[in-house]
Amino acid sequence: MSFQSQVYIEQPLGQPGTISRDNPIVKLPMIAEGSDLVAGGFAFAGTNAELQVKGLSSGAKAVEGFVVMERYQAPLGGIGNNLKINEGEEVAIVKKGYCYAVSTTSATKGMHVLVNPATGAISTAVVTATAGTGALSGSINVTQGTVTGTVSGSDVTGTTAGVAAAFGSDAKADMGSVSGIADGLIDTGWVVVTGGSANGVCEIACL
């Protein structure tokens, strides 16, 4: 028998849609609305946002959490479609914690996790935020009031109209900028912890 010639120093990545580390973890039980919710994907607010979540939502601006499957369900979608959650099933939505996911792009530790709310596709990107100064630029239109009346000694009597100011159409404040998020994608607030190749399993976290 030959001597061992290779040693693996990295733990294998697990099944997408499962929790990768026991602590910390914050999750809520929710009910699947529609047929688009998938374990290993992100969830969006349903019709009843306190009870329901759904897998696709074109107008969404934020995610409710990451979907994990913690119970058995009837394979209504077929054996080869076992990550899809049946409508009406209870599902765990992870708000904070570590989970396994599949990204359509290669993932490296520290990258932001993005999602397309119209398709549910998960991707990763380097996102850079630039702080703003708050400085105003553009035109400000000022209309001064008028003073009428008589001057008696140091007193002015009469009526005084106020001073009105309005921002022009080109006025704006420097509020900073964010780059790296393509149009139509949402920054989920999750980041890559253990990277992987495109369409491969990676570990993501929200802490």
Side-chain angles (χ1 to χ4, degrees):
M1 182 178 70
S2 61
F3 288 103
Q4 180 177 343
S5 61
Q6 188 172 11
V7 177
Y8 293 97
I9 60 174
E10 297 179 353
Q11 65 181 25
L13 294 179
Q15 177 76 12
T18 59
I19 295 170
S20 59
R21 309 186 192 192
D22 290 336
N23 286 302
I25 189 74
V26 176
K27 57 185 177 179
L28 294 176
M30 301 291 280
I31 302 299
E33 177 184 358
S35 58
D36 297 315
L37 196 67
V38 177
F42 284 97
F44 304 93
T47 303
N48 184 338
E50 294 183 358
L51 300 175
Q52 296 174 302
V53 288
K54 54 188 177 182
L56 301 178
S57 181
S58 297
K61 301 299 182 183
V63 300
E64 291 298 304
F66 189 76
V67 184
V68 298
M69 188 65 177
E70 294 191 320
R71 53 182 291 175
Y72 292 107
Q73 66 171 10
L76 301 181
I79 300 299
N81 198 23
N82 56 359
L83 290 180
K84 183 164 284 192
I85 308 299
N86 298 333
E87 183 171 14
E89 287 281 355
E90 181 181 299
V91 66
I93 303 300
V94 177
K95 299 283 192 177
K96 293 185 181 297
Y98 294 82
C99 296
Y100 291 123
V102 172
S103 171
T104 58
T105 57
S106 59
T108 304
K109 182 177 181 179
M111 281 184 164
H112 287 226
V113 180
L114 312 178
V115 65
N116 185 328
T119 66
I122 296 172
S123 58
T124 59
V126 175
V127 176
T128 304
T130 303
T133 63
L136 292 173
S137 62
S139 60
I140 300 177
N141 304 315
V142 178
T143 303
Q144 293 183 332
T146 58
V147 178
T148 61
T150 58
V151 177
S152 175
S154 59
D155 298 326
V156 177
T157 62
T159 59
T160 303
V163 176
F167 291 106
S169 59
D170 62 338
K172 60 182 179 179
D174 180 7
M175 302 302 291
S177 62
V178 176
S179 61
I181 304 176
D183 290 342
L185 302 184
I186 294 175
D187 189 341
T188 63
W190 291 64
V191 296
V192 176
V193 177
T194 305
S197 58
N199 299 311
V201 178
C202 61
E203 185 184 23
I204 63 175
C206 181
L207 303 174

